[in-house]
Amino acid sequence: MPVIRLMPEGPPGAGLEKMEIDPADFQAVPEEQRIHVAYEDKAKGFAVGIWTTTDMQEAFGPYPGDEFMVVLEGRVEMLDQDGSVTPVETGEAFAIRNGAPLSWRQRGFLRKAFILMSYGDNPVAVPGQGVFKACPAGGAHPMTAAAEMIGGGSQYEAMLYRNDAGDMEAGLWESTAFATDMAPFAVHEFAHILSGEVTITEAGGEVQSFTAGQSFFISAGTVCGWKSEGDLRKYFATVTP
């Protein structure tokens, strides 16, 4: 499977597909929602892609999966049943816990890149924290040294979220200049570059470079090598096969 570049407008010539809307799912029904699913593993139950919406508010209820998102355009407010509000701005990322009793309130247009783990149509509401927010600077999530050196660089990470099932993690990651050998990727990974540039070379010779503001996805088993000639910083979310 090749490294997949997530295009904010969807694939050239195809764009984003208009979604069917069930008014019962909303307190305020959106005029339109669109999506492009760039990768889907139905057996594992997850999907990666781009999604847009106009003004709306979802009905309160258990969130249908574990999801990590980067806001590419717009702003969202996540409402908890206790009245608390978590705003997420353009350039910020957040995770939502499966089963969290929340309502998504949207004022104005929003575009996001996402990776979603789904567990069926009837999630059970769970107690505890439901929204986990990261910002590009790290905020309340300090960077700590990673357990190993990769490709000659020094890596640091700030773990933001680990799902209850234990097969999805998300956070911030940064490194000094590094280069890795060609090898199979051990996990599925969604990544969004915050600063720097990385070049990924696949076993067949395909080469892609990603810079700040760009997102991509690598499926487990993809044989590739990474190289960054300077500091690199990214959001990430991984799923264990």
Side-chain angles (χ1 to χ4, degrees):
M1 189 74 188
V3 177
I4 300 173
R5 183 183 297 270
L6 299 180
M7 307 294 290
E9 302 289 342
L16 304 175
E17 180 182 354
K18 190 172 183 179
M19 301 178 68
E20 292 186 8
I21 293 173
D22 184 351
D25 293 336
F26 300 90
Q27 294 185 30
V29 180
E31 179 180 341
E32 180 180 88
Q33 293 184 333
R34 290 183 174 271
I35 194 169
H36 171 64
V37 176
Y39 182 90
E40 185 175 21
D41 184 335
K42 292 183 179 180
K44 181 68 176 176
F46 80 93
V48 180
I50 301 291
W51 180 86
T52 68
T53 186
T54 55
D55 291 48
M56 61 91 175
Q57 183 172 349
E58 294 178 345
F60 273 97
Y63 203 77
D66 291 297
E67 185 170 10
F68 181 71
M69 297 157 275
V70 178
V71 176
L72 304 177
E73 181 181 350
R75 178 183 191 272
V76 59
E77 294 177 334
M78 299 304 303
L79 282 63
D80 204 335
Q81 288 181 321
D82 66 4
S84 62
V85 178
T86 303
V88 188
E89 310 284 347
T90 298
E92 295 181 335
F94 66 118
I96 298 181
R97 185 183 180 198
N98 177 52
L102 301 166
S103 173
W104 182 304
R105 183 167 67 192
Q106 189 60 48
R107 295 170 172 168
F109 179 80
L110 180 127
R111 186 187 311 274
K112 72 178 184 182
F114 71 89
I115 177 167
L116 170 67
M117 292 281 292
S118 181
Y119 305 97
D121 296 330
N122 298 297
V124 177
V126 295
Q129 185 177 357
V131 181
F132 302 77
K133 177 181 170 182
C135 61
H141 308 280
M143 305 295 285
T144 56
E148 59 181 345
M149 306 289 283
I150 299 174
S154 297
Q155 286 79 42
Y156 301 86
E157 67 179 18
M159 190 60 63
L160 170 70
Y161 179 69
R162 182 176 288 110
N163 70 347
D164 294 328
D167 57 359
M168 180 181 185
E169 296 182 343
L172 284 156
W173 184 92
E174 66 180 28
S175 179
T176 57
F178 71 100
T180 68
D181 294 330
M182 199 75 66
F185 223 61
V187 295
H188 303 292
E189 180 172 348
F190 162 87
H192 178 85
I193 304 300
L194 292 167
S195 61
E197 180 176 2
V198 63
T199 298
I200 301 176
T201 303
E202 298 176 50
E206 301 87 348
V207 179
Q208 295 192 67
S209 293
F210 300 93
T211 59
Q214 297 181 331
S215 307
F216 60 94
F217 175 76
I218 301 178
S219 61
T222 299
V223 178
C224 61
W226 290 43
K227 183 177 182 179
S228 178
E229 296 185 351
D231 293 347
L232 181 71
R233 190 175 177 91
K234 68 177 182 179
Y235 292 131
F236 72 91
T238 61
V239 173
T240 303

